[in-house]
Amino acid sequence: MQPNSIAQLKTMLDGMLVEDDPALVRRKSRDFYWYSPVLKRLLDEVVGDVVVTPRNEAEVLRALAAAHALDMPVTPRGAGTGNYGQAMPLAGGMVLDLHAMNAVGEIGPGYVVAEAGALLGRIDAATRAHSGQELRMFPSTHRTASIGGFIAGGSGGVGSIRWGGLRNSGNVTRLRVATMEAKPRLLVLEGDEIAKVAHAYGTNGIITECTVPLAPSYDWVEAIVAFDDLAKAAHFSDALGREDGILLKELAVMGPGLGRRYFSQHGRFLTGDQVSVLVMVAPHSVTAFAAFAARHGGAEVFRSDRLTDDERKTLPPLFELTWNHTTLVARRVDPSLTYLQILYPYPDHLAAVATMGRLLGDEMIEHLEFIRFDGHVVCSGLPLIRFTTEERLDAIIGLFEENGCLVFNPHRYTLEEGGMKRSDHGQLAFKREVDPKGLLNPGKMIAWDDPNFDFSSSRRYLFSQPAA
Ligand code: FAD
């Protein structure tokens, strides 16, 4: 970047919050990339040049117009909880920090409108108070992540056992998106158009406002059911996920000893090498759930509705032990652990779990998240892996793939190598239209940078454009 660009930017954005304090810029240039020893090595020195914090849509448009005029890269940032290095400004330039655009707007039957920087937990609190409704799904970073960052960088989470993922039509209703042009425009995307910016790491426009669907809210009961081996726990969970009359919000399996070893508060409810199944169940389903667990030989070792108010206050929400929080809490105890993100192949997912357990032995501690995927209950895996070398990590990924699993490689920072988002001609054409200079989050989309990119790859992706 030209040395005087920051000074010019400050002049052009007079009256807006533009900061270039090196410590602040470094902090806002980071996300949870360090979960991966590979990304830690590759991205540790990545830093932007300036942080711009717009307060409204008009300021977003001003910031983008100025960056376009100065040929300055722009990397949007929600709360920086992404764990694929998505929010890291590989080419420097401007970090566009959306956190001040956090208003929760209109709430109606089955929907909420919120500014992109609004935190998911705050949206949920507002919709609950307004009309007893809640977000269908959220990442386990409910308290810390923004709605715009979730849609642009996440995939699903708590609630996915009932509602599927962000990839599914209907789980995002409408987006307002700012383009990166000399005169930035505001687009309204609905229906299939949403796929153009969903999970695109902000390479295809800046989301300013999101409309997402709501479901009736419940005071979810948290429960832990213990088993003496993984296969029994996995079969129980698979059956529970398919038991249509029991309403669940979360269903996860933690491999032998994981809970006891790494859950600082809830670990005391488990013993030794027990496998634990973590569940959030609606209050009206609790009796049926307890009977179902007993019938499958599970020992109910924890129920939040049996605690006193004081006891409950000492515990984190159970969902903060699930999804990528499992990795976080385990790494606090053993920083040599890393992880993978897997989709086990339906309908043979339980057989594949067993096979991978046999192949990897003590190198892996299994962590399964049961989800609805295109109408079926299947399990995704976020196994903890004992890291030795990058070569061995790649070999482990190869083993999963050879056994029919889809790997979303959290040790790569590009969209395509991460494996969730397919870049296709439509995606690229949209980028040419909305970001002709390629200034949005540069370096994250191989199809943009590599003229020889192979669009014909037969690899399966989580987010594909809807077929024409
Ligand atoms: P950021 O990290 O700030 O950004 C994510 C991506 O979106 C970046 O590429 C950024 O450039 C882009 N972006 C941000 N805002 C905008 C915008 N307004 N317009 C366009 N692009 C934008 N993910 C899940 O899907 N499910 C989980 O359960 C889950 N659990 C997690 C648990 C932990 C402990 C951690 C560390 C991560 C977890 N994640 C999970 C990943 C991450 O928390 C989520 O994807 C989260 O929703 C990201 O939100 P954010 O506001 O922090 O986004």
Side-chain angles (χ1 to χ4, degrees), residues 153-352:
S155 55
V158 182
S160 288
I161 182 61
R162 172 67 185 81
W163 294 103
L166 284 174
R167 64 188 285 280
N168 291 113
S169 294
N171 278 335
V172 178
T173 314
R174 189 170 183 265
L175 297 175
R176 280 169 74 86
V177 175
T179 65
M180 180 49 149
E181 300 171 278
K183 282 194 180 155
R185 292 170 293 149
L186 278 168
L187 308 178
V188 174
L189 305 183
E190 292 177 312
D192 287 353
E193 301 270 284
I194 283 170
K196 293 175 174 168
V197 291
H199 202 88
Y201 291 2
T203 57
N204 273 359
I206 305 297
I207 303 167
T208 58
E209 186 189 89
C210 315
T211 307
V212 291
L214 299 173
S217 68
Y218 293 97
D219 290 329
W220 297 95
V221 175
E222 301 171 345
I224 301 180
V225 182
F227 288 86
D228 53 15
D229 79 49
L230 185 70
K232 283 184 200 155
H235 278 95
F236 161 72
S237 301
D238 198 51
L240 179 61
R242 285 184 282 109
E243 189 63 42
D244 293 334
I246 297 180
L247 184 58
L248 302 175
K249 182 96 175 182
E250 170 62 17
L251 176 55
V253 176
M254 305 294 159
L258 191 162
R260 174 75 187 164
R261 224 171 295 151
Y262 302 126
F263 295 169
S264 59
Q265 304 289 330
H266 291 80
R268 68 175 186 270
F269 299 105
L270 294 156
T271 53
D273 272 351
Q274 277 180 323
V275 176
S276 47
V277 179
L278 276 53
V279 180
M280 285 167 69
V281 54
H284 59 265
S285 290
V286 160
T287 319
F289 160 75
F292 192 90
R295 210 182 318 138
H296 284 77
E300 204 183 65
V301 294
F302 171 79
R303 274 264 299 270
S304 61
D305 57 344
R306 296 197 177 127
L307 302 178
T308 63
D309 285 350
D310 282 346
E311 282 169 331
R312 283 172 86 148
K313 276 186 209 141
T314 65
L315 295 170
L318 196 71
F319 66 72
E320 287 187 359
L321 301 174
T322 66
W323 291 90
N324 248 319
H325 267 81
T326 313
T327 321
L328 186 70
V329 297
R331 279 181 51 91
R332 274 192 195 129
V333 178
D334 182 353
S336 74
L337 290 169
T338 188
Y339 74 121
L340 288 174
Q341 295 200 203
I342 311 290
L343 184 66
Y344 285 101
Y346 178 85
D348 303 319
H349 45 289
L350 297 185

